[in-house]
Amino acid sequence: DSGVTQTPKHLITATGQRVTLRCSPRSGDLSVYWYQQSLDQGLQFLIQYYNGEERAKGNILERFSAQQFPDLHSELNLSSLELGDSALYFCASSPRDRGRYGYTFGSGTRLTVV
Amino acid sequence: DQQVKQNSPSLSVQEGRISILNCDYTNSMFDYFLWYKKYPAEGPTFLISISSIKDKNEDGRFTVFLNKSAKHLSLHIVPSQPGDSAVYFCAALSNFGNEKLTFGTGTRLTIIP
C-alpha cells in the first residue's frame, strides 16, 4: 500500500456519460497530480493541485476538470466521455509542490468507455 | 512532442545477466531524472534518481548513468532477477516552475529464468 488511495479501481461507462475519479493523497502530502496512461503510451500529465489550488495544467481536455478539497483529497471529473478516453488514470501525491521531493502513485483507476 | 523517449518498448534478458534500459530526452531544461518501475495492476514506484550535477548514481543492483551532452540516461540492473520483470519508466524534471514529472513511454523488461 503506497498510501495514495484511488477509487474506484475499475469503471465501465457509456459514451456521453460523466464520471468522477477520486484520490486521497498520502498523509502529509499537499500536492496531487493526475496522469493518464492510454494503451502503449507513457504517463501523460493532466493537472496538478497544491494545497487546494491549481498549480499546473498539462494536456487536459476541456471536458475534464479537477479539484482539490480542504481535506486534500482530489477528484477528476470526466464528462461527455468518448471511446478514446478509455485509459488508466493515476493519481500521485508529493509533500510539496516540487516533484523532486518524490511522487507516490496510487494503483490507478481503469476507465473503459463502451 | 515527446520530450522523454524510451525507444525500446521491450527487452528480454537472461537471469543473472545485466539489463540496460535506455532513455533520451530533448529538453535541455531537465535537470533531474528518475526511474520508476511498474507491475501490472499497480501504480509506478520510485526506483532511483540522478541529478544533472552527477553522471552516476548507484543503489544496490541499480545504477543510473547520465550523459548530459548526449541527453541520454540509462539504467543498469546487475544481476537481473525474475522479480525485476516489469515496465520501467524514465521521467524527467525541469528546475523551472512546478517540476511536474515528464514520463517516457516505458520499456517492458522480461527476465528469463
Side-chain angles (χ1 to χ4, degrees):
Chain A
D1 181 8
S2 68
V4 177
T5 304
Q6 287 189 250
T7 57
K9 290 193 183 304
H10 302 276
L11 199 49
I12 301 175
T13 190
T15 54
Q17 295 297 305
R18 172 189 168 95
V19 297
T20 297
L21 312 184
R22 182 187 168 103
C23 170
S24 293
R26 200 177 56 161
S27 178
D29 285 357
L30 299 178
S31 260
V32 169
Y33 305 80
W34 286 97
Y35 282 81
Q36 178 193 55
Q37 185 186 18
S38 301
L39 191 63
D40 293 333
Q41 297 293 312
L43 292 131
Q44 300 293 322
F45 171 70
L46 295 177
I47 197 164
Q48 178 205 1
Y49 279 84
Y50 175 72
N51 205 19
E53 294 186 1
E54 182 183 303
R55 187 57 64 102
K57 260 187 175 179
N59 299 321
I60 188 166
L61 299 171
E62 286 192 11
R63 301 182 285 109
F64 296 1
S65 65
Q67 55 185 326
Q68 187 180 29
F69 294 86
D71 66 353
L72 300 177
H73 91 271
S74 178
E75 293 181 355
L76 179 67
N77 301 297
L78 315 176
S79 61
S80 302
L81 284 167
E82 302 174 359
L83 294 178
D85 297 327
S86 295
L88 268 169
Y89 291 85
F90 287 103
C91 165
S93 71
S94 69
R96 297 173 57 175
D97 62 341
R98 297 178 75 77
R100 71 184 59 212
Y101 292 98
Y103 273 34
T104 302
F105 279 88
S107 57
T109 293
R110 181 174 293 280
L111 173 67
T112 304
V113 182
V114 298
Chain B
D1 177 24
Q2 191 70 28
Q3 296 185 64
V4 179
K5 301 176 186 179
Q6 294 176 257
N7 292 319
S8 298
S10 62
L11 176 69
S12 294
V13 175
Q14 287 279 348
E15 181 179 359
R17 306 295 288 267
I18 183 171
S19 295
I20 300 176
L21 295 93
N22 293 304
C23 177
D24 297 293
Y25 62 96
T26 58
N27 188 341
S28 57
M29 297 295 288
F30 289 147
D31 70 338
Y32 197 79
F33 304 89
L34 307 91
W35 285 93
Y36 278 79
K37 177 179 180 179
K38 184 182 180 304
Y39 292 118
E42 295 182 13
T45 55
F46 170 75
L47 194 56
I48 192 169
S49 63
I50 187 167
S51 166
S52 61
I53 62 173
K54 295 185 174 181
D55 55 16
K56 176 183 173 181
N57 188 27
E58 195 171 350
D59 183 3
R61 296 186 298 113
F62 302 92
T63 303
V64 56
F65 296 91
L66 175 62
N67 182 334
K68 288 189 293 292
S69 61
K71 293 191 175 69
H72 176 84
L73 65 156
S74 60
L75 174 68
H76 293 210
I77 306 174
V78 182
S80 299
Q81 299 175 353
D84 297 330
S85 294
V87 177
Y88 289 78
F89 290 98
C90 170
L93 282 170
S94 165
N95 188 24
F96 176 78
N98 70 311
E99 292 194 345
K100 63 170 177 63
L101 285 176
T102 300
F103 284 86
T105 51
T107 296
R108 181 178 302 278
L109 175 65
T110 302
I111 304 302
I112 304 165

